[in-house]
Amino acid sequence: VNGVYLDHNATTPMDERVREAMQPWSGRAANASSMHAQGRAAREAVELARSRVAAALDASPDEVVFTSGGTESNNLALKGLVSGATSALAISMVEHAAVRGPAFQLRDAGHPLIELPVDAAGRVDAAALHEVLERSPVLVSIMWANNETGVIQDIPSIVAACRKAGVPLHTDAVQAVGKVPVSFRTSGVQLMSVSAHKLYGPQGVGALVVDRALSLAPLQEGGGQERGLRGGTEPVAAIVGFGMAAAIADEELAARAAHAQALRDRLERGLSQLPQVTILGSEAQRLPNTTQFVVDGIEGEALLHGLDRAGYAVSSGSACASGSKAPSHVLTAMGMAADAARGVVRASVGQGNTDADIDGLLEALQRILQPGAGITGGAVGGW
Ligand SMILES: Cc1ncc(COP(=O)(O)O)c(C=O)c1O
């Protein structure tokens, strides 16, 4: 497919160096639990990848549990810690569906759930968090950075409050890793979810970083792999790719962030010239690559399809998998009226983007927004 890809928060293209690292393992008989030479070689490759992921996240290798991605990591963190407990689970109102889903499932099974409100810029309300912590919840789950707005939470203050109350904190760091510095050790969080395909690695692999002091129950029983926390033969090629992607992301973090921010700022300078456009979350600290904006009186989805026809891949603010036109829960939590939330578009830049891509997007947007351009709606895009 030709065109300009500006949807890196949905997924990223795989780095050529990652593909090369995976190549020798693709299709090879490589069970890391086998005792023969081939098995031992696979184990060595998995453990090298584990140490690379750990180094990139500033964690210890024995804290890294490989999973199938961010969704499974979030499910493992929430259900693994909360199932069987009686005190409440607290999550923020702007979490990704991969946290909301398991949280709602626990709630429906009778577990108390508290949702923490956010301010107009999408930051968790500190007073509400303190109030909830007085009720000694079993776990607090607050994302590091939001996939829609790019808004970064005040993790140091949140950790300090949770520590003081003796409550473990899980953070969904899927969007943060590879875009801003993330240190598991320094942050003081106890559980952290990561996904390879958001950082130029393969799809279908990720990790949950688990503080050794925590005792967690697995989602599935099996062969005892991953310290008994994730049974199932490890996908060696995918894990090797994840290790390489994490190492590169760590090494190139500053350059990547600078590249993304320059493009994002260029885009936002252009957008600020358009009278119908408002940029969201800009009062908060944000990921360097993400812009979410709302266009007055126009469906985000219609805009998405107009831009798609012009060769620019962005994302709209509509709910994804259900195909419904429900406004985003993130934006309504930030106090936006449901109608306005339907006019939302997200552009998330990445390594391959250039100034010309941004200028082209702005031109296409201007053309589409001209009176009489006649944009129409269509199917819903994914996050
Ligand atoms: C914040 C956040 N958490 C979790 C996920 C899910 O990750 P995965 O696709 O690896 O399951 C995503 C991906 O969209 C995300 O943006």
Side-chain angles (χ1 to χ4, degrees), residues 153-357:
Q153 297 296 336
D154 184 359
I155 294 293
S157 304
I158 294 167
V159 169
C162 290
R163 287 247 149 173
K164 199 161 157 227
V167 174
L169 176 70
H170 165 251
T171 189
D172 176 346
V174 164
Q175 290 293 345
V177 173
K179 298 183 186 126
V180 291
V182 171
S183 161
F184 182 72
R185 202 180 316 280
T186 317
S187 72
V189 301
Q190 277 82 40
L191 292 157
M192 189 164 87
S193 301
V194 190
S195 178
H197 76 98
K198 308 285 187 182
L199 42 123
Y200 305 91
Q203 296 181 330
V205 64
L208 181 66
V209 189
V210 185
D211 188 319
R212 273 162 296 185
L214 274 193
S215 126
L216 207 62
L219 292 175
Q220 63 202 30
E221 296 300 329
Q225 289 91 345
E226 299 299 301
R227 290 192 289 124
L229 282 171
R230 209 279 184 171
T233 302
E234 286 100 338
V236 180
I239 287 174
V240 164
F242 183 18
M244 183 55 84
I248 297 170
D250 191 31
E251 205 178 292
E252 299 182 353
L253 182 71
R256 283 184 182 184
H259 173 73
Q261 181 141 2
L263 294 175
R264 201 268 306 268
D265 290 351
R266 188 180 187 92
L267 174 59
E268 293 196 349
R269 273 196 303 277
L271 289 174
S272 65
Q273 307 297 311
L274 304 173
Q276 315 93 310
V277 172
T278 311
I279 295 163
L280 303 177
S282 54
E283 315 85 83
Q285 222 195 326
R286 282 181 300 158
L287 294 174
N289 79 319
T290 310
T291 294
Q292 194 176 41
F293 57 95
V294 57
V295 184
D296 249 6
I298 291 179
E299 290 265 344
E301 227 181 283
L303 212 48
L304 181 152
H305 291 293
L307 288 170
D308 191 32
R309 280 193 294 275
Y312 292 88
V314 297
S315 174
S316 80
S318 305
C320 43
S322 67
S324 81
K325 294 202 177 181
S328 145
H329 67 278
V330 175
L331 302 178
T332 50
M334 287 161 67
M336 188 180 274
D339 268 356
R342 290 199 180 87
V344 157
V345 171
R346 177 189 69 188
S348 44
V349 302
Q351 281 297 93
N353 291 131
T354 61
D355 284 353
D357 293 347

Side-chain angles (χ1 to χ4, degrees), residues 21 103 246 367:
R367 268 199 314 274

